[in-house]
Amino acid sequence: MQDATLAPTLIDAPGLVPEAVLWDMDGTIIDTEPYWLASEAALVAEHGGTWSDAQGLELVGMNLLDSAVVLQEHGVALSREEIADDLTRRVAALLAAEVPWRPGAAELLADLRERGVPCALVTMSYREMVDHLIEALPAGTFDVVVTGDEVERGKPDPEPYLRAAELLGVDVARCVAIEDSRPGVASALASGAATIAVRGHVPVVQHPGLSRIRSLETLDVGLLGHVLAGGIVDDLGDDE
């Protein structure tokens, strides 16, 4: 059974620090899912269709080009690339007005930076949108950025996380990945990184080797080391 608390009781690993922390963006660091849902609904409506939040939540964590296929099926008469670019512009404009931080994200990033732990941003969003987040952070917050338009195979394929570890020059098995979506979790686990899922807009089911937390506010370097050492934390229990 998985540990039902956040206390690192399974494995005592004092002082163990990941070689790097690999971060998802949408839904993990910033709560952009409402921006995506609104942008998708507006685009579909402009092409004469209807789009619900429930339909939008089915796309959370997916590669933009794969999401575009679903939108085409709902009447959007544009190419996959045009849809991805259109949605990116819409969400980027919303981000430029306000960056909706997830609780605890900025604080944990700052703590890791102070400790000298490298961080990578591993997102399926495109570079145009990601730049707005980067601009809102202190210089040097992320040592490496891997975006959806810079990989051949997006999440749930492990390529994005493997690419981030390669660019950092670290062993992915000595890294901790932080995710919120099922495709993202699948990508991180398949890469070999120790993986933590933070509760977002969609449930994340239990999976062997996966830790799950309600909020980044409960996560610190000690708990990252615990998970890296093989410990499992789960404060969601049967809620998902």
Side-chain angles (χ1 to χ4, degrees):
M1 292 181 63
Q2 292 182 315
D3 188 6
T5 74
L6 283 176
T9 56
L10 291 181
I11 293 179
D12 186 17
L16 183 62
V17 176
E19 288 190 4
V21 178
L22 315 176
W23 291 79
D24 172 56
M25 186 178 81
D26 296 293
T28 300
I29 297 177
I30 52 178
D31 187 14
T32 50
E33 301 308 344
Y35 290 178
W36 286 108
L37 295 175
S39 298
E40 291 158 3
L43 178 59
V44 173
E46 289 169 9
H47 287 260
T50 58
W51 187 254
S52 68
D53 283 356
Q55 289 170 306
L57 291 174
E58 291 293 323
L59 305 185
V60 171
M62 287 178 59
N63 181 289
L64 271 174
L65 294 179
D66 293 335
S67 297
V69 173
V70 179
L71 294 175
Q72 287 175 331
E73 294 170 353
H74 285 79
V76 179
L78 298 172
S79 70
R80 294 194 308 157
E81 292 74 15
E82 288 172 330
I83 292 172
D85 290 343
D86 184 284
L87 292 176
T88 295
R89 286 193 297 271
R90 293 173 192 258
V91 176
L94 293 170
L95 269 180
E98 180 181 1
V99 177
W101 294 101
R102 290 294 306 271
E107 292 80 3
L108 181 55
L109 281 166
D111 185 39
L112 292 170
R113 187 175 65 254
E114 290 176 5
R115 293 171 182 267
V117 179
C119 286
L121 186 64
V122 186
T123 176
M124 290 299 92
S125 292
Y126 282 12
R127 175 66 65 168
E128 176 185 352
M129 195 183 85
V130 172
D131 285 344
H132 290 288
L133 172 64
I134 301 301
E135 291 170 2
L137 290 167
T141 296
F142 291 109
D143 301 86
V144 162
V145 176
V146 177
T147 63
D149 50 340
E150 297 172 348
V151 294
E152 292 184 8
R153 297 174 301 279
K155 302 173 185 178
D157 192 274
E159 180 186 346
Y161 281 102
L162 293 173
R163 177 62 174 158
E166 178 186 10
L167 291 172
L168 286 170
V170 298
D171 180 356
V172 71
R174 304 298 301 166
C175 298
V176 176
I178 305 176
E179 272 285 355
D180 76 302
S181 71
R182 293 186 186 186
V185 165
S187 173
L189 287 172
S191 76
T195 305
I196 299 172
V198 59
R199 181 67 164 93
H201 287 274
V202 294
V204 179
V205 298
Q206 290 180 329
H207 189 283
L210 176 67
S211 291
R212 304 185 304 164
I213 59 177
R214 292 184 182 278
S215 170
L216 292 174
E217 293 174 296
T218 64
L219 194 55
D220 59 18
V221 173
L223 195 56
L224 290 171
H226 170 66
V227 171
L228 180 63
I232 301 295
V233 296
D234 191 343
D235 69 343
L236 296 181
D238 297 327
D239 291 353
E240 299 294 84

